[in-house]
Amino acid sequence: MAPHVSESALAGLVEDLAGEVITPGDPGYDEARVLHNGMIDRRPAVIAQCATQADVSNAVLFGRATGLPIAVRGGGHSVAGSSVIDGALVVDLRRMHHVFVDPEAMTVRVEGGATMAHLDHACQPFHVATTGGRVSTTGVGGFVLGGGSGWLERKFGLASDNLLAADLITAEGKHVRADADENPELFWALHGGGGNFGVATSLTMRVHPLPRTSVAMLFFLPDDAPEVVRTFRDLGERAPDEFGGGAIYLPAPPEPFVPEDMVGKLVCGALFTYAGPVGELRDFAAPLFALDPVVQIVTDIPYVDLQSMLDDPPGLRNYWSAEYLREFPDEAVDAFCDRGARIPPGTATQHVLFLMGGAVAAGSSRYPQPWRTAPWAVHPFATWEDPAYDDQARQWVHDVRADARPWAIESTYLNFVGSEGEQRIVSSFGEENYRRLAAVKAAFDPDNVFRYNQNIVPAG
Ligand SMILES: Cc1cc2nc3c(=O)[nH]c(=O)nc-3n(C[C@H](O)[C@H](O)[C@H](O)COP(=O)(O)OP(=O)(O)OC[C@H]3O[C@@H](n4cnc5c(N)ncnc54)[C@H](O)[C@@H]3O)c2cc1C
């Protein structure tokens, strides 16, 4: 049972915070505890809507003094809902969303509660960008600290490869900076180790000259899927780093470009981007266009629009996982397509094959992210509305994982999975990396205060 928090302790927090304190019964409480995943309905004891770095420190100290468990919330996209916990103090960073671009230094400093939309909109006027997630409402904090996979990753690396420095508030409420020179072990650990080591109040990232961007969304009938996926696989194996994206099964969305009689019916598609003009995209992907898609959208697109193109409304029920594959032979194509054809009807589930490689693979030896060496990843992404589909959707995701086993490596990208147990976390980092991460955890959070995450248990 969560400890009782006295009125006077709460009044002290209200006094200390430039931001707002919300408790059950306050107006706005229900809105403040909602997460992207509609399956999560939790009731924290206190939500501290921090506005400044000092607020974060005060909130953490309040949590320690009262004994409340502490959850850290950015964009609220964690599929397991690790950012809102029953009976806990939620350190809510959403008011801290400012972004400062330095076009001379080619860096951007992002506050810990900013979303991808804040980042991309701030960068666009300066014609610069760094790798961002594929949905604009994802939080930069959880995304970058977990790794950060996006359309530009094959060209610019994972988002975490572009991390230059972080300001953190530790479990003792103290400020610590991590970069290549200052606290280098902590800096290393922040490349995939997530929110284990402290609350990031700001992240400084490298930016790159923004390339022109183009996108193609091609839908095919399910009977053509094996040939489409094989063609995508063959293209991927010789793709330049400008090319990114994947093959996908999904129920055709209710978009103006989808004929009415196809909406809701299962299609197989290819969804890919090019860091260059649409002509180059068309030339490179000509073998896919030659397969006669039934729907095709192919266009140049401003990067910020590309970044919000897949935005979904929050509130659907979500369950996902991911397996990273050392190879993707024809047998794997068949397994992918067989399972794609069996997406639970009545759900809005997507079955994605991501092309990895390029700059993602190039940075593999430096950081605790063994999964990034894999050339392919399967990402079953089940979403649905009606709780009656819960078991079916979860089972389908488990079946995708089982199908992928012959080609899967042990490591997975932990931002793409929910709570899959301690062993999954250890094998995702690799045992040696995990031991090193656990030592960093012991140095910065020996009491495991920040434990609502893909948790690294402090060494010793
Ligand atoms: C619709 C959707 C699309 C997605 N697309 C992508 C994608 O394209 N690429 C990709 O790589 N991932 C993607 N993700 C996964 C996403 O990266 C992770 O869910 C990530 O954890 C979300 O971060 P958040 O801040 O939004 O989440 P939250 O739920 O707010 O936070 C999750 C955890 O991150 C930690 N955290 C968050 N902010 C901070 C901070 N400032 N300091 C310290 N710890 C912090 C905390 O431990 C917290 O428990 C997607 C998720 C969704 C729901």
Side-chain angles (χ1 to χ4, degrees), residues 253-305:
E255 297 287 350
F257 57 83
V258 176
E260 230 168 88
D261 60 340
M262 276 184 73
V263 169
K265 299 212 173 109
L266 195 63
V267 290
C268 171
L271 174 56
F272 49 94
T273 60
Y274 202 87
V278 71
E280 289 177 27
L281 172 144
R282 272 189 186 282
D283 286 350
F284 178 71
L288 277 170
F289 289 99
L291 297 177
D292 282 334
V294 286
V295 171
Q296 55 171 300
I297 296 290
V298 192
T299 181
D300 285 304
I301 185 169
Y303 181 63
V304 280
D305 295 344

Short mmCIF file of all heavy atoms in Angstrom, two decimals, residues 253-305:
data_model
loop_
_atom_site.label_atom_id
_atom_site.label_comp_id
_atom_site.label_asym_id
_atom_site.label_seq_id
_atom_site.Cartn_x
_atom_site.Cartn_y
_atom_site.Cartn_z
N PRO A 253 -6.59 1.97 -43.95
CA PRO A 253 -7.16 3.02 -43.09
C PRO A 253 -8.21 3.85 -43.84
O PRO A 253 -8.20 3.92 -45.07
CB PRO A 253 -5.93 3.89 -42.77
CG PRO A 253 -4.98 3.65 -43.90
CD PRO A 253 -5.23 2.28 -44.42
N PRO A 254 -9.11 4.48 -43.08
CA PRO A 254 -10.16 5.31 -43.72
C PRO A 254 -9.59 6.66 -44.15
O PRO A 254 -9.90 7.68 -43.56
CB PRO A 254 -11.20 5.45 -42.60
CG PRO A 254 -10.43 5.29 -41.33
CD PRO A 254 -9.25 4.44 -41.62
N GLU A 255 -8.75 6.65 -45.14
CA GLU A 255 -8.12 7.88 -45.65
C GLU A 255 -8.73 8.19 -47.01
O GLU A 255 -9.16 7.29 -47.73
CB GLU A 255 -6.61 7.69 -45.80
CG GLU A 255 -5.86 7.40 -44.51
CD GLU A 255 -5.74 8.62 -43.61
OE1 GLU A 255 -6.07 9.73 -44.07
OE2 GLU A 255 -5.34 8.45 -42.44
N PRO A 256 -8.69 9.49 -47.38
CA PRO A 256 -9.30 9.86 -48.66
C PRO A 256 -8.69 9.13 -49.86
O PRO A 256 -9.38 8.89 -50.86
CB PRO A 256 -9.02 11.36 -48.78
CG PRO A 256 -8.49 11.80 -47.46
CD PRO A 256 -8.16 10.61 -46.64
N PHE A 257 -7.42 8.74 -49.76
CA PHE A 257 -6.79 8.09 -50.91
C PHE A 257 -7.09 6.58 -50.99
O PHE A 257 -6.64 5.90 -51.90
CB PHE A 257 -5.26 8.33 -50.88
CG PHE A 257 -4.57 7.88 -49.62
CD1 PHE A 257 -4.21 6.56 -49.46
CD2 PHE A 257 -4.30 8.78 -48.60
CE1 PHE A 257 -3.57 6.13 -48.30
CE2 PHE A 257 -3.65 8.36 -47.43
CZ PHE A 257 -3.29 7.03 -47.28
N VAL A 258 -7.82 6.05 -50.00
CA VAL A 258 -8.16 4.62 -50.03
C VAL A 258 -9.59 4.46 -50.54
O VAL A 258 -10.51 5.05 -49.98
CB VAL A 258 -8.03 4.01 -48.61
CG1 VAL A 258 -8.47 2.55 -48.61
CG2 VAL A 258 -6.60 4.14 -48.09
N PRO A 259 -9.81 3.67 -51.63
CA PRO A 259 -11.17 3.48 -52.13
C PRO A 259 -12.07 2.94 -51.01
O PRO A 259 -11.63 2.11 -50.20
CB PRO A 259 -11.01 2.43 -53.23
CG PRO A 259 -9.56 2.42 -53.58
CD PRO A 259 -8.81 2.93 -52.40
N GLU A 260 -13.31 3.42 -51.00
CA GLU A 260 -14.21 3.10 -49.88
C GLU A 260 -14.37 1.60 -49.64
O GLU A 260 -14.40 1.13 -48.51
CB GLU A 260 -15.59 3.70 -50.17
CG GLU A 260 -16.13 4.52 -49.02
CD GLU A 260 -17.33 5.32 -49.46
OE1 GLU A 260 -18.43 4.76 -49.36
OE2 GLU A 260 -17.15 6.48 -49.92
N ASP A 261 -14.44 0.83 -50.75
CA ASP A 261 -14.68 -0.61 -50.57
C ASP A 261 -13.44 -1.35 -50.03
O ASP A 261 -13.51 -2.51 -49.69
CB ASP A 261 -15.16 -1.25 -51.88
CG ASP A 261 -14.13 -1.09 -52.99
OD1 ASP A 261 -13.26 -0.19 -52.88
OD2 ASP A 261 -14.19 -1.86 -53.96
N MET A 262 -12.31 -0.65 -49.93
CA MET A 262 -11.12 -1.31 -49.37
C MET A 262 -10.92 -1.02 -47.89
O MET A 262 -10.21 -1.74 -47.19
CB MET A 262 -9.86 -0.82 -50.10
CG MET A 262 -9.58 -1.56 -51.38
SD MET A 262 -8.03 -0.98 -52.06
CE MET A 262 -6.87 -1.72 -50.94
N VAL A 263 -11.58 0.05 -47.42
CA VAL A 263 -11.34 0.50 -46.04
C VAL A 263 -11.64 -0.64 -45.06
O VAL A 263 -12.69 -1.29 -45.15
CB VAL A 263 -12.19 1.75 -45.72
CG1 VAL A 263 -12.15 2.06 -44.22
CG2 VAL A 263 -11.70 2.93 -46.52
N GLY A 264 -10.72 -0.88 -44.16
CA GLY A 264 -10.90 -1.92 -43.14
C GLY A 264 -10.48 -3.29 -43.61
O GLY A 264 -10.33 -4.21 -42.80
N LYS A 265 -10.27 -3.46 -44.93
CA LYS A 265 -9.84 -4.78 -45.43
C LYS A 265 -8.32 -4.89 -45.31
O LYS A 265 -7.60 -3.90 -45.48
CB LYS A 265 -10.25 -4.97 -46.89
CG LYS A 265 -11.75 -4.90 -47.06
CD LYS A 265 -12.22 -5.79 -48.20
CE LYS A 265 -13.74 -5.83 -48.22
NZ LYS A 265 -14.31 -5.10 -49.34
N LEU A 266 -7.85 -6.09 -45.08
CA LEU A 266 -6.42 -6.30 -44.90
C LEU A 266 -5.66 -6.03 -46.20
O LEU A 266 -6.05 -6.52 -47.26
CB LEU A 266 -6.20 -7.74 -44.46
CG LEU A 266 -4.83 -8.04 -43.87
CD1 LEU A 266 -4.60 -7.24 -42.59
CD2 LEU A 266 -4.71 -9.53 -43.58
N VAL A 267 -4.61 -5.24 -46.10
CA VAL A 267 -3.72 -5.03 -47.26
C VAL A 267 -2.29 -5.26 -46.81
O VAL A 267 -1.98 -5.21 -45.62
CB VAL A 267 -3.85 -3.59 -47.85
CG1 VAL A 267 -5.17 -3.38 -48.53
CG2 VAL A 267 -3.60 -2.52 -46.77
N CYS A 268 -1.46 -5.53 -47.81
CA CYS A 268 -0.03 -5.58 -47.53
C CYS A 268 0.55 -4.34 -48.20
O CYS A 268 0.11 -3.96 -49.29
CB CYS A 268 0.55 -6.84 -48.14
SG CYS A 268 2.34 -6.84 -48.06
N GLY A 269 1.48 -3.72 -47.56
CA GLY A 269 1.99 -2.48 -48.13
C GLY A 269 3.49 -2.36 -48.01
O GLY A 269 4.17 -3.21 -47.41
N ALA A 270 3.97 -1.31 -48.62
CA ALA A 270 5.36 -0.91 -48.39
C ALA A 270 5.28 0.57 -48.07
O ALA A 270 4.62 1.34 -48.78
CB ALA A 270 6.21 -1.15 -49.63
N LEU A 271 5.88 0.94 -46.96
CA LEU A 271 5.86 2.33 -46.52
C LEU A 271 7.31 2.74 -46.33
O LEU A 271 8.00 2.21 -45.47
CB LEU A 271 5.09 2.41 -45.19
CG LEU A 271 5.08 3.75 -44.48
CD1 LEU A 271 4.54 4.84 -45.39
CD2 LEU A 271 4.20 3.67 -43.23
N PHE A 272 7.78 3.61 -47.21
CA PHE A 272 9.20 3.94 -47.15
C PHE A 272 9.45 5.40 -47.47
O PHE A 272 8.63 6.08 -48.09
CB PHE A 272 10.03 3.03 -48.07
CG PHE A 272 9.51 2.91 -49.47
CD1 PHE A 272 9.99 3.73 -50.48
CD2 PHE A 272 8.54 1.98 -49.78
CE1 PHE A 272 9.52 3.62 -51.79
CE2 PHE A 272 8.06 1.87 -51.08
CZ PHE A 272 8.55 2.69 -52.08
N THR A 273 10.58 5.86 -46.99
CA THR A 273 10.94 7.27 -47.16
C THR A 273 12.30 7.34 -47.82
O THR A 273 13.07 6.37 -47.83
CB THR A 273 11.01 7.99 -45.81
OG1 THR A 273 11.99 7.35 -45.00
CG2 THR A 273 9.68 7.96 -45.09
N TYR A 274 12.59 8.52 -48.35
CA TYR A 274 13.88 8.74 -48.99
C TYR A 274 14.36 10.12 -48.58
O TYR A 274 13.60 11.09 -48.63
CB TYR A 274 13.72 8.65 -50.51
CG TYR A 274 15.01 8.32 -51.22
CD1 TYR A 274 15.39 7.00 -51.41
CD2 TYR A 274 15.85 9.33 -51.67
CE1 TYR A 274 16.59 6.69 -52.03
CE2 TYR A 274 17.05 9.02 -52.29
CZ TYR A 274 17.41 7.70 -52.47
OH TYR A 274 18.59 7.40 -53.08
N ALA A 275 15.60 10.19 -48.12
CA ALA A 275 16.16 11.50 -47.77
C ALA A 275 16.70 12.11 -49.06
O ALA A 275 17.90 12.21 -49.28
CB ALA A 275 17.26 11.33 -46.72
N GLY A 276 15.76 12.50 -49.89
CA GLY A 276 16.08 13.04 -51.21
C GLY A 276 14.77 13.26 -51.95
O GLY A 276 13.69 12.93 -51.42
N PRO A 277 14.82 13.80 -53.17
CA PRO A 277 13.59 14.10 -53.89
C PRO A 277 12.86 12.85 -54.37
O PRO A 277 13.46 11.78 -54.47
CB PRO A 277 14.08 14.93 -55.09
CG PRO A 277 15.53 14.64 -55.22
CD PRO A 277 16.02 14.20 -53.88
N VAL A 278 11.58 13.03 -54.67
CA VAL A 278 10.73 11.89 -54.99
C VAL A 278 11.22 11.13 -56.24
O VAL A 278 11.04 9.91 -56.34
CB VAL A 278 9.25 12.34 -55.12
CG1 VAL A 278 9.01 13.16 -56.37
CG2 VAL A 278 8.31 11.17 -55.02
N GLY A 279 11.88 11.84 -57.15
CA GLY A 279 12.39 11.17 -58.35
C GLY A 279 13.40 10.09 -57.98
O GLY A 279 13.39 8.98 -58.53
N GLU A 280 14.25 10.41 -57.01
CA GLU A 280 15.26 9.42 -56.58
C GLU A 280 14.59 8.24 -55.88
O GLU A 280 15.00 7.08 -56.04
CB GLU A 280 16.29 10.07 -55.66
CG GLU A 280 17.22 11.02 -56.40
CD GLU A 280 18.21 11.73 -55.48
OE1 GLU A 280 18.57 11.20 -54.42
OE2 GLU A 280 18.62 12.85 -55.85
N LEU A 281 13.57 8.55 -55.10
CA LEU A 281 12.82 7.47 -54.43
C LEU A 281 12.21 6.54 -55.48
O LEU A 281 12.32 5.31 -55.38
CB LEU A 281 11.74 8.08 -53.54
CG LEU A 281 10.72 7.14 -52.90
CD1 LEU A 281 10.35 7.62 -51.50
CD2 LEU A 281 9.46 7.01 -53.73
N ARG A 282 11.55 7.13 -56.48
CA ARG A 282 10.91 6.31 -57.54
C ARG A 282 11.93 5.46 -58.28
O ARG A 282 11.69 4.28 -58.55
CB ARG A 282 10.24 7.24 -58.56
CG ARG A 282 8.83 7.61 -58.20
CD ARG A 282 8.21 8.35 -59.40
NE ARG A 282 6.91 8.86 -59.07
CZ ARG A 282 5.81 8.11 -59.02
NH1 ARG A 282 5.87 6.83 -59.32
NH2 ARG A 282 4.65 8.64 -58.70
N ASP A 283 13.06 6.06 -58.61
CA ASP A 283 14.08 5.32 -59.36
C ASP A 283 14.56 4.12 -58.55
O ASP A 283 14.63 3.01 -59.04
CB ASP A 283 15.30 6.20 -59.66
CG ASP A 283 14.99 7.20 -60.75
OD1 ASP A 283 13.92 7.07 -61.39
OD2 ASP A 283 15.79 8.13 -60.95
N PHE A 284 14.86 4.39 -57.27
CA PHE A 284 15.42 3.29 -56.48
C PHE A 284 14.38 2.19 -56.27
O PHE A 284 14.70 0.99 -56.32
CB PHE A 284 15.95 3.78 -55.12
CG PHE A 284 16.46 2.63 -54.31
CD1 PHE A 284 17.63 1.98 -54.67
CD2 PHE A 284 15.73 2.14 -53.24
CE1 PHE A 284 18.08 0.87 -53.98
CE2 PHE A 284 16.17 1.02 -52.54
CZ PHE A 284 17.35 0.39 -52.91
N ALA A 285 13.12 2.60 -56.02
CA ALA A 285 12.11 1.61 -55.64
C ALA A 285 11.31 1.11 -56.85
O ALA A 285 10.24 0.50 -56.68
CB ALA A 285 11.19 2.20 -54.58
N ALA A 286 11.82 1.32 -58.07
CA ALA A 286 11.08 0.93 -59.28
C ALA A 286 10.56 -0.51 -59.23
O ALA A 286 9.41 -0.76 -59.62
CB ALA A 286 11.97 1.16 -60.51
N PRO A 287 11.32 -1.49 -58.72
CA PRO A 287 10.79 -2.87 -58.70
C PRO A 287 9.51 -3.01 -57.87
O PRO A 287 8.68 -3.88 -58.17
CB PRO A 287 11.93 -3.67 -58.06
CG PRO A 287 13.17 -2.87 -58.31
CD PRO A 287 12.73 -1.43 -58.28
N LEU A 288 9.32 -2.17 -56.87
CA LEU A 288 8.07 -2.24 -56.08
C LEU A 288 6.91 -1.64 -56.86
O LEU A 288 5.81 -2.19 -56.89
CB LEU A 288 8.24 -1.48 -54.76
CG LEU A 288 8.91 -2.24 -53.62
CD1 LEU A 288 9.22 -1.30 -52.46
CD2 LEU A 288 8.03 -3.40 -53.13
N PHE A 289 7.19 -0.48 -57.51
CA PHE A 289 6.13 0.14 -58.31
C PHE A 289 5.69 -0.79 -59.44
O PHE A 289 4.53 -0.81 -59.84
CB PHE A 289 6.60 1.49 -58.88
CG PHE A 289 6.75 2.55 -57.83
CD1 PHE A 289 7.98 2.86 -57.29
CD2 PHE A 289 5.63 3.22 -57.35
CE1 PHE A 289 8.12 3.83 -56.31
CE2 PHE A 289 5.75 4.20 -56.36
CZ PHE A 289 7.00 4.50 -55.84
N ALA A 290 6.63 -1.60 -59.94
CA ALA A 290 6.33 -2.50 -61.06
C ALA A 290 5.35 -3.60 -60.65
O ALA A 290 4.77 -4.27 -61.50
CB ALA A 290 7.62 -3.12 -61.58
N LEU A 291 5.14 -3.78 -59.34
CA LEU A 291 4.22 -4.83 -58.90
C LEU A 291 2.76 -4.36 -58.88
O LEU A 291 1.88 -5.07 -58.36
CB LEU A 291 4.63 -5.32 -57.50
CG LEU A 291 6.02 -5.97 -57.41
CD1 LEU A 291 6.36 -6.35 -55.97
CD2 LEU A 291 6.11 -7.20 -58.31
N ASP A 292 2.50 -3.17 -59.41
CA ASP A 292 1.13 -2.66 -59.56
C ASP A 292 0.35 -2.54 -58.26
O ASP A 292 -0.62 -3.27 -58.02
CB ASP A 292 0.32 -3.55 -60.52
CG ASP A 292 0.68 -3.26 -61.95
OD1 ASP A 292 1.12 -2.12 -62.21
OD2 ASP A 292 0.53 -4.16 -62.78
N PRO A 293 0.75 -1.63 -57.41
CA PRO A 293 -0.03 -1.42 -56.18
C PRO A 293 -1.46 -0.99 -56.48
O PRO A 293 -1.70 -0.30 -57.48
CB PRO A 293 0.74 -0.30 -55.47
CG PRO A 293 1.67 0.28 -56.47
CD PRO A 293 1.89 -0.73 -57.54
N VAL A 294 -2.40 -1.38 -55.63
CA VAL A 294 -3.80 -0.96 -55.83
C VAL A 294 -4.01 0.46 -55.30
O VAL A 294 -4.95 1.14 -55.69
CB VAL A 294 -4.81 -1.94 -55.19
CG1 VAL A 294 -4.91 -3.21 -56.01
CG2 VAL A 294 -4.45 -2.26 -53.74
N VAL A 295 -3.18 0.88 -54.37
CA VAL A 295 -3.21 2.26 -53.89
C VAL A 295 -1.77 2.75 -53.85
O VAL A 295 -0.88 2.00 -53.40
CB VAL A 295 -3.80 2.35 -52.46
CG1 VAL A 295 -3.64 3.75 -51.88
CG2 VAL A 295 -5.27 1.95 -52.46
N GLN A 296 -1.53 3.95 -54.34
CA GLN A 296 -0.18 4.48 -54.16
C GLN A 296 -0.20 5.98 -53.93
O GLN A 296 -0.87 6.72 -54.62
CB GLN A 296 0.75 4.13 -55.30
CG GLN A 296 0.32 4.52 -56.68
CD GLN A 296 1.46 4.28 -57.68
OE1 GLN A 296 2.53 4.85 -57.54
NE2 GLN A 296 1.22 3.43 -58.66
N ILE A 297 0.52 6.37 -52.90
CA ILE A 297 0.75 7.78 -52.61
C ILE A 297 2.26 7.96 -52.66
O ILE A 297 2.99 7.28 -51.93
CB ILE A 297 0.27 8.13 -51.18
CG1 ILE A 297 -1.22 7.94 -51.06
CG2 ILE A 297 0.67 9.53 -50.78
CD1 ILE A 297 -2.01 8.97 -51.83
N VAL A 298 2.72 8.80 -53.54
CA VAL A 298 4.16 9.01 -53.69
C VAL A 298 4.38 10.50 -53.83
O VAL A 298 3.84 11.12 -54.75
CB VAL A 298 4.69 8.33 -54.97
CG1 VAL A 298 6.22 8.30 -54.96
CG2 VAL A 298 4.13 6.95 -55.13
N THR A 299 5.15 11.07 -52.94
CA THR A 299 5.25 12.53 -52.97
C THR A 299 6.48 13.05 -52.23
O THR A 299 6.98 12.39 -51.32
CB THR A 299 3.96 13.15 -52.35
OG1 THR A 299 4.05 14.56 -52.41
CG2 THR A 299 3.77 12.75 -50.90
N ASP A 300 6.95 14.22 -52.64
CA ASP A 300 7.85 14.99 -51.80
C ASP A 300 7.03 15.44 -50.59
O ASP A 300 5.83 15.71 -50.72
CB ASP A 300 8.33 16.24 -52.54
CG ASP A 300 9.38 15.90 -53.59
OD1 ASP A 300 10.40 15.30 -53.23
OD2 ASP A 300 9.15 16.22 -54.78
N ILE A 301 7.67 15.57 -49.46
CA ILE A 301 6.91 15.97 -48.26
C ILE A 301 7.85 16.71 -47.31
O ILE A 301 8.98 16.27 -47.09
CB ILE A 301 6.29 14.70 -47.58
CG1 ILE A 301 5.39 15.07 -46.41
CG2 ILE A 301 7.35 13.71 -47.14
CD1 ILE A 301 4.54 13.90 -45.89
N PRO A 302 7.39 17.85 -46.76
CA PRO A 302 8.24 18.50 -45.76
C PRO A 302 8.46 17.56 -44.57
O PRO A 302 7.55 16.82 -44.19
CB PRO A 302 7.42 19.73 -45.34
CG PRO A 302 6.42 19.93 -46.44
CD PRO A 302 6.15 18.57 -47.02
N TYR A 303 9.65 17.62 -44.01
CA TYR A 303 10.00 16.67 -42.95
C TYR A 303 9.00 16.71 -41.79
O TYR A 303 8.57 15.66 -41.29
CB TYR A 303 11.42 16.94 -42.46
CG TYR A 303 11.87 15.99 -41.38
CD1 TYR A 303 12.00 14.63 -41.64
CD2 TYR A 303 12.17 16.45 -40.10
CE1 TYR A 303 12.42 13.75 -40.65
CE2 TYR A 303 12.59 15.58 -39.12
CZ TYR A 303 12.71 14.23 -39.39
OH TYR A 303 13.12 13.36 -38.41
N VAL A 304 8.57 17.91 -41.36
CA VAL A 304 7.63 17.96 -40.22
C VAL A 304 6.31 17.27 -40.56
O VAL A 304 5.67 16.69 -39.67
CB VAL A 304 7.30 19.39 -39.71
CG1 VAL A 304 8.39 19.94 -38.82
CG2 VAL A 304 6.97 20.33 -40.81
N ASP A 305 5.91 17.32 -41.81
CA ASP A 305 4.66 16.64 -42.19
C ASP A 305 4.86 15.13 -42.22
O ASP A 305 3.97 14.36 -41.82
CB ASP A 305 4.16 17.14 -43.54
CG ASP A 305 3.79 18.62 -43.49
OD1 ASP A 305 3.62 19.15 -42.37
OD2 ASP A 305 3.68 19.25 -44.56
#
